[in-house]
Amino acid sequence: MTTDTFEKDILKGLQSNPKRLFSKYFYDHKGSALFQQIMHLPEYYLPACETEILQHRAKDIINKLPEANYDVVELGAGDGSKTAYFLDAMIREKKKVTYIPLDISPEILSVNEEIMRQKLPGLCVNPIAGDYFETLKNISSRKNPKIILFLGSNIGNFEGEKALDFIRFVKSFMGKGDYFMLGVDLKKHPRTILAAYDDPAGITKKFNINLLDRINRELNGNFNTADFDHYASYDPISGATNSYLISKVEQKVRVSGQTLTFSPYEAIHMEISQKYSLHDLDRIRENAGFNKDHHFTDSKSYFSISLFEV
Ligand code: AVI
């Protein structure tokens, strides 16, 4: 990503009505560290639920996979520490696996390789650094059947129809006998969801505010972050969790030489974290053109790892 794209996206978003920013820009160095803190918050139940499924339901998932050899391709793999549980189970079930983690960050892929070397010595790991919208092309020519992993509820950060577009895009690189394995946060009690995005320690607020700090640093901005508050809402009908920053006062802010005006209590939409029911997932699977699906949930039914079969 060039500074140009960042600048264009930020200015366009802040000049729109309603104002908006893009959560993909949360993850600079400080934002990534704050996200790690979020992952350890007691209210942010998602990682624990997904890990429970990967640890305790891996065998049930593998029972649905008929072939002996698989390429396991992971989109936005990060350090792969959760995925290691699934790969370990694959090996125990005598599957021959090549693990292909895709991530924008070469540094995190080195950490991923090291974790796999320690936890699963002998596993064949072929990392590919770059934007997975580009690097996915490299895997369609491979001969082994594929399991494409997209974990961590990352699908929830796509707005509306874009989630379905993305799943269709991934499917265009898949063939008969391949599987898409999607980690999805499920609809549940609204208060449980809201608490995950409005933690009392204020880490999620810092995570959102950090994007204003980033704009100040990289785009010569002068946001006074104390003049903004964080607000999250959850709509139990649509399943949309939306995060906003609210301007507490009327103010003018300069970014990249442009003046932006905020009315009192004007909101900037920061992020959507969409929640799905299993029924919603069945519909998405069908609309994306997959044949069948299987859902594997944790003991509280908070989270699903759903397997879509081509
Ligand atoms: C990365 N993504 C799945 C997280 C989510 O739950 O939407 C990002 C996040 N935003 C606030 N807390 C966590």
Side-chain angles (χ1 to χ4, degrees), residues 50 53-55 57-58 61-62 64-65 72-75 82-83 85-87 90 146-153 155 166-167 170 174 178-184 290 294 296 303-309:
E50 189 171 49
I53 304 167
L54 290 168
Q55 271 187 308
R57 303 225 45 204
I61 300 173
I62 295 164
K64 301 286 177 201
L65 306 170
V72 176
V73 180
E74 182 166 20
L75 309 181
K82 274 188 278 170
T83 312
Y85 293 115
F86 177 67
L87 296 169
M90 290 281 279
K146 291 182 278 298
I147 308 167
I148 301 188
L149 268 54
F150 193 48
L151 300 178
S153 184
I155 193 68
F166 177 72
I167 295 172
V170 174
M174 299 172 72
D178 290 348
Y179 291 85
F180 188 35
M181 202 167 128
L182 197 57
V184 190
F290 286 88
H294 307 278
F296 303 89
F303 201 93
S304 174
I305 290 188
S306 295
L307 197 61
F308 293 0
E309 191 177 323

Side-chain angles (χ1 to χ4, degrees), residues 27 35 38 44 46 152-154 157 197 204 207 271 273 275:
Y27 301 89
F35 184 57
I38 289 176
Y44 195 71
L46 290 75
S153 184
N154 287 316
N157 298 130
Y197 292 88
T204 310
F207 182 56
E271 181 175 50
S273 301
K275 310 303 168 193

